[in-house]
Amino acid sequence: MRFRVVVSALVGAVLLSSAFTGTARAETSPSGANDWTCRPSAAHPRPVVLVHGTFENMAVNWLKIAPVLKRNGYCVFALNYGGAENALIQGTGDIARSAGQLSAFVDRVLAATQVPEVDIVGHSQGGMMPRYYLKFLGGAAKVRKLVGIVPSNHGTSLSGLVVLGDLLGLTGPVTDACPACGQQIAGSGFLANLNAGGDTVPGVDYSVITTMFDEVVTPYTSAYLRGPGVRNLLLQDSCPLDFSAHLGVIVDPVVQRMVLDELDTSSSHGRINCLNPLG
């Protein structure tokens, strides 16, 4: 019963977000994304692929970040995965199969933009799932950087989500199967296989952006990666009064600035103006 309440809480949070933003069509690309005529510039030579989280979709997840990236000169692409075509709820399917969908999408982006590599920005499962693609499906040769926003890299204990469900007034069980949910529980066979032999693969840079107020990936430190080429960043180290949690980070301008800084190899990673992070 506890697991059902947890899943219900997550679904409810995403549906509430969708209602708030007015986004109802999961197949709709977020503003600034999926312009297949876009060609990367010398300043930003790699297109950015956005990968949403569990129970989310590209339209809701990237409503704010996609246009910010586009305005800053990036070619931006986003996909839905792990769900029925055109379904509002995505990211629930087997994660290995979802990684295969990501692989096919990256190949399409590379063919369209005529470049050899992409960068990936992912939220929650979307920050962890690409690591399967990198490690097992040949993605390391096609990806230069992975930026994970509150990624479920080492799973979650799910603590605190029952409280979240109560706050949202969600008590009904979710009857649809969610293989990805079980795979993201700390200690799962999927995560043991993914993390065996080390968290990273050679040739890829990794950035993790997390928040101490994450109530979904718990403890929040389970998002962190270990290995060469890793930058683990805590939101509150930059802006101590920023209380964004697991869903709030995707609309947080400070997080958007952090993503921009991590993608920009020329960035000096200077101090963020917490009151006006995007200038």
Side-chain angles (χ1 to χ4, degrees):
M1 181 64 183
R2 176 185 172 95
F3 181 71
R4 289 179 177 177
V5 172
V6 166
V7 173
S8 186
L10 284 173
V11 172
V14 172
L15 291 177
L16 286 175
S17 174
S18 178
F20 176 77
T21 61
T23 302
R25 295 169 58 86
E27 74 274 18
T28 301
S29 296
S31 176
N34 294 337
D35 174 5
W36 295 95
T37 66
C38 187
R39 296 294 179 267
S41 65
H44 303 302
R46 293 180 299 278
V48 177
V49 175
L50 302 175
V51 187
H52 64 74
T54 312
F55 298 123
E56 299 178 273
N57 61 59
M58 64 176 170
V60 171
N61 209 150
W62 305 117
L63 182 74
K64 297 296 185 181
I65 293 181
V68 167
L69 290 169
K70 184 68 172 180
R71 286 196 299 271
N72 279 268
Y74 289 92
C75 290
V76 183
F77 298 89
L79 77 157
N80 286 332
Y81 70 87
E85 186 177 0
N86 298 335
L88 178 63
I89 301 301
Q90 298 282 327
T92 60
D94 174 72
I95 297 176
R97 182 173 297 180
S98 294
Q101 292 178 273
L102 174 61
S103 176
F105 188 80
V106 168
D107 285 348
R108 183 184 173 196
V109 170
L110 293 177
T113 55
Q114 301 176 21
V115 296
E117 291 181 313
V118 303
D119 290 334
I120 294 176
V121 176
H123 175 241
S124 195
Q125 181 194 159
M128 174 273 290
M129 176 269 279
R131 293 179 50 229
Y132 189 97
Y133 164 54
L134 298 177
K135 185 173 184 177
F136 298 114
L137 302 181
K142 303 173 184 179
V143 177
R144 185 67 188 90
K145 174 165 283 192
L146 170 61
V147 180
I149 305 172
V150 292
S152 50
N153 282 320
H154 295 279
T156 174
S157 66
L158 300 179
S159 66
L161 287 180
V162 171
V163 174
L164 177 62
D166 291 340
L167 290 173
L168 293 171
L170 301 165
T171 56
V174 173
T175 57
D176 291 339
C178 179
C181 298
Q183 290 173 317
Q184 291 178 90
I185 295 175
S188 72
F190 175 85
L191 287 173
N193 182 46
L194 177 64
N195 294 319
D199 293 349
T200 63
V201 296
V204 180
D205 290 333
Y206 300 80
S207 297
V208 172
I209 301 170
T210 191
T211 169
M212 66 173 58
F213 300 107
D214 195 331
E215 77 284 46
V216 175
V217 175
T218 55
Y220 73 87
T221 52
S222 69
Y224 290 150
L225 292 172
R226 296 177 292 273
V230 170
R231 281 173 51 85
N232 291 313
L233 305 168
L234 182 64
L235 174 58
Q236 286 74 32
D237 284 344
S238 294
C239 295
L241 298 180
D242 192 320
F243 300 107
S244 292
H246 191 81
L247 291 176
V249 292
I250 63 176
V251 296
D252 187 337
V254 175
V255 174
Q256 293 161 25
R257 168 49 57 192
M258 295 173 77
V259 169
L260 288 170
D261 287 348
E262 293 308 302
L263 290 174
D264 187 354
T265 56
S266 66
S267 172
S268 61
H269 302 287
R271 186 172 182 177
I272 294 175
N273 181 343
C274 299
L275 297 180
N276 188 24
L278 296 177

